[in-house]
Amino acid sequence: MKILQVTTVATTLNAFLLPYATAFKALGWQVDAAAEGINDFPEVIAAHDNVYNIDFCRNPLKIKQLFSSVLQVRQLLKQNAYDVVHVHTPIAAFLTRLAAIGLSNTKVFYTAHGFHYINTNTKFKNFIFYLAEKIASFKTDHLFVINNEDYQFAVDKKIASRDQVTKIYGIGVDESLYQFNADARIQKRQQLDVDNEFVILQVAELNKNKNQQQVLHALAIVKQQQLTPFKYILAGIGSEKKALEQLVKDLNLTEDVQFLGFRKDVQDLISATDVVCLSSQREGLPRCIMEAMCAERPIIASNIRGCNDLLSSGCGELIQYNDTEAWVAGFTTLIQNPELRLTMGRKGLQEIKKNYTEKDVVSSVIDIYQRYV
């Protein structure tokens, strides 16, 4: 079988899809990859038989560049006659499915890592997203979704029939990589210059969707309550960094917040923390929460799709994303109840082992491939 994995940018391949390439190649299949900037990722190159750089245009108003992207992909598909083209991320998924029109011998699979159709959008915005998904669905042989809400949306809105859509448990996670490490906890807390402080970790891009400002406003109130000294640690980079740094000063949280930037030691940071936080307005199925569950860390997260899929079994606190008082109450509950935190952590690891292991998710995807080809 000849397979092409396509993402808009190569960081997605590097972060999430290498285990799939490894598993496919173990079956004797040819596995190629295409994305923008792919030649800058040696691990992606090593994991695939062939890699191709595609200059995906990300501006919907630049018609000429969009058309050029489609032509690049179509030439690649015709040249290599793939059995399966598996697309990820909205731009690459839409443009590649357009490029595949008329190529009847190629099956096109699409993993939706969280549809952009959400309740908090305007009706017009949701209509545009729905229209794009509906158009592209005509060249989608099978759709993978990663949460319950997206599955219902796909079926109810006729994006795919029930026999053409499969809910998988995200991209899977290797629980052994993120298991709790007591030695790493001690060493990392020393490096972070924290001692007995209650450590709250958020691993996320610094952008408006991740909504870190909501947490800062809540923690400013928690600080006034003088429950315990705490540190809110943000691992990530993004366009909102300066605004968040200014908000930290305005809320008198300078001594309580650390911006770590991009990190490669997330496993150790998770072990060093007491609670992992995610305050997003929109998610698919957040990997950072799954990693924290592997390490038996309790979670406090927005009550949105993906987060509620993961935490509904009782391994974390689900909070209305824009309700400051609710976030304060959530943090207060976790700070004051160490036994509850332990219980949540144990439940989280059990949930991962039950549904979300990388091995089981990859196996589910392989089953669909073999059904079609």
Side-chain angles (χ1 to χ4, degrees), residues 191-209:
Q191 292 173 14
L192 296 171
D193 195 26
V194 297
D195 187 11
N196 296 319
E197 293 94 333
F198 187 84
V199 176
I200 303 159
L201 173 68
Q202 184 155 356
V203 182
E205 185 178 347
L206 306 181
N207 62 34
K208 290 183 178 179
N209 175 58

Side-chain angles (χ1 to χ4, degrees), residues 172-181 185 199-204 265-278 285-301 307 310-311 315-317 334 341-353 356:
V173 61
D174 184 346
E175 71 272 24
S176 65
L177 293 178
Y178 293 93
Q179 62 187 353
F180 178 77
N181 186 318
R185 177 179 175 84
V199 176
I200 303 159
L201 173 68
Q202 184 155 356
V203 182
D265 58 346
V266 171
Q267 296 99 319
D268 292 345
L269 287 173
I270 291 173
S271 289
T273 196
D274 297 296
V275 168
V276 170
C277 170
L278 189 65
L285 194 76
R287 174 68 176 261
C288 61
I289 288 184
M290 290 191 284
E291 293 168 355
M293 291 164 68
C294 292
E296 300 184 68
R297 300 295 86 191
I299 318 293
I300 181 168
C307 294
L310 290 165
L311 304 184
C315 46
E317 291 278 322
L334 291 173
R341 299 199 303 269
L342 288 173
T343 300
M344 287 178 170
R346 286 193 291 267
K347 287 183 177 180
L349 181 57
Q350 291 170 2
E351 184 69 11
I352 289 293
K353 290 182 175 180
Y356 294 93

Side-chain angles (χ1 to χ4, degrees), residues 6 54 72 130 173 200 222 240 295 316 361 371:
V6 186
I54 302 294
Q72 284 185 62
Y130 164 73
V173 61
I200 303 159
V222 171
E240 288 295 296
V361 174
R371 184 205 304 177

